[in-house]
Amino acid sequence: MYARTATAAVAATALMGAGALLMSTADTQTTGRAAAGHTGTVTGLRTVSARTTDMKGAAPVVVAHRGASAYAPENTLAAVDKADALGFDWVENDVQFTKDGVLVVVHDTDLKRTTDVEEVFPDRAPWAVKDFTAAEIARLDAGSWFGPQFAGTRVPTLKQYLDRIERNHQKLLLEIKSPELYPGIEKETLRVLGQKGWLDRDHVRNRLVIQSFGADSVQKVHQRRPDVTTGFLGTPAVADLPSYAAFTDQINSSYTSISADYVKAVHALKGAHGKKLRVNTWTVNDAANATRVAGFGVDGIITNTPDVVRGATG
């Protein structure tokens, strides 16, 4: 079960499926929700501010990858709620277009791994997300593959996802998935974010990062909304970092592709908003690697097991 959750996380170049703004302003990232007005009681959690993440030895911000995806089906509302129950503000998700232009939250460009699409629509191979309408995808079971207790879990639309994390007072690292397959996805993503209130001053400054493996996609977001914090997924050569810094605020790299020297080289530059370029690394699911990358000085760690990473680095 856990192995299936993690397999799709390593793709393209050196992702996520992210890190600290993820805190490019003086916002407070509170794993227990106090700063966000959350009324639940969570014990044993620590508060990390944007300023302290720049201090030597401070813990990286922990981001729940596709929600707490080691414990609930990835990219579902159940995974978001599990991250919330564990006390984590930041969640990461993936967004794609349906055939009729609705944004849905799902990682793979086909529906085979994480739904029962082959049973419901046996004659629709290769079951690409873009070949199904939102109503058809809404019929699919996106939880039984993970465990019987999640039977009937659905693939959420981006609007449904935003409603849930807003209810939970959480923060969002949103990946535009495979933008080359979906012309116009950047514009529509921003439109939906605006419609749901996620492009106001508070959300933009403190609760939202948009990232992609596609440099062109990140540039389009930056051009349309230069106030929004953006991240590039990958590990550009050090010599190329200045060109990325012109349109992004974060370099979000696989933990297998970075070193302390690479993190230092990223930190030496200022990003699109004139603040230190940040590094958020993925997908770190064990204590040993979490401790190792924290020693590199990364700003954030993206993980399927946020509790494990918090225990190792907090």
Side-chain angles (χ1 to χ4, degrees):
M1 180 185 300
Y2 170 75
R4 294 190 68 184
T5 310
T7 49
V10 180
T13 65
L15 195 325
M16 192 153 280
L21 227 18
L22 278 171
M23 314 194 65
S24 58
T25 70
D27 168 53
T28 298
Q29 191 271 355
T30 310
T31 51
R33 300 293 183 279
H38 186 75
T39 56
T41 300
V42 183
T43 59
L45 304 183
R46 60 195 303 278
T47 300
V48 183
S49 73
R51 290 172 180 167
T52 61
T53 55
D54 288 338
M55 296 179 183
K56 185 177 180 180
V61 173
V62 179
V63 182
H65 182 235
R66 308 179 200 167
S69 56
Y71 311 116
E74 63 183 64
N75 274 323
T76 65
L77 302 186
V80 169
D81 289 345
K82 183 61 177 179
D84 183 55
L86 290 170
F88 291 93
D89 282 352
W90 280 101
V91 294
E92 182 269 348
N93 76 340
D94 307 277
V95 68
Q96 300 184 56
F97 262 150
T98 64
K99 184 177 181 180
D100 50 343
V102 176
L103 292 167
V104 290
V105 178
V106 62
H107 177 271
D108 298 4
T109 55
D110 65 69
L111 296 158
K112 293 183 291 184
R113 182 176 62 89
T114 57
T115 77
D116 61 349
V117 68
E118 293 178 87
E119 298 172 22
V120 179
F121 298 103
D123 301 322
R124 300 277 293 276
W127 299 285
V129 174
K130 65 184 179 64
D131 293 335
F132 289 81
T133 67
E136 289 172 333
I137 291 175
R139 292 173 53 188
L140 302 177
D141 182 336
S144 291
W145 70 275
F146 193 92
Q149 69 273 36
F150 296 105
T153 299
R154 302 302 174 190
V155 174
T157 65
L158 179 59
K159 289 181 179 180
Q160 291 167 336
Y161 194 94
L162 292 171
D163 285 343
R164 183 58 59 91
I165 60 176
E166 186 67 54
R167 188 198 74 175
N168 292 348
H169 304 289
Q170 289 169 298
K171 307 178 184 186
L172 178 61
L173 176 63
L174 185 155
E175 180 186 346
I176 296 176
K177 195 71 182 178
S178 302
E180 67 278 5
L181 298 178
Y182 307 111
I185 192 171
E186 298 84 8
K187 180 179 179 180
E188 179 63 10
T189 298
L190 289 170
R191 189 190 71 80
V192 171
L193 286 166
Q195 185 181 66
K196 302 301 290 184
W198 276 76
L199 293 182
D200 65 11
R201 182 179 177 87
D202 175 62
H203 287 80
V204 165
R205 294 188 66 183
N206 304 319
R207 298 178 61 187
L208 177 67
V209 178
I210 300 177
Q211 64 176 0
S212 180
F213 279 109
D216 288 347
S217 187
V218 179
Q219 287 179 298
K220 287 175 184 177
V221 171
H222 179 66
Q223 289 165 359
R224 286 186 172 274
R225 285 296 303 240
D227 55 331
V228 170
T229 299
T230 58
F232 173 73
L233 286 163
T235 312
V238 170
D240 295 333
L241 287 172
S243 64
Y244 287 86
F247 61 85
T248 194
D249 304 282
Q250 302 176 3
I251 300 296
N252 297 339
S253 308
S254 167
Y255 79 95
T256 62
S257 68
I258 61 172
S259 64
D261 286 343
Y262 187 81
V263 173
K264 184 177 179 181
V266 175
H267 283 167
L269 299 172
K270 291 183 178 180
H273 287 93
K275 299 181 181 181
K276 184 181 74 173
L277 200 61
R278 307 179 75 86
V279 179
N280 305 294
T281 191
W282 48 270
T283 304
V284 181
N285 296 322
D286 64 279
N289 279 310
T291 301
R292 183 170 68 88
V293 298
F296 292 165
V298 299
D299 302 287
I301 298 176
I302 304 155
T303 173
N304 301 336
T305 56
D307 54 334
V308 172
V309 171
R310 180 177 62 201
T313 63

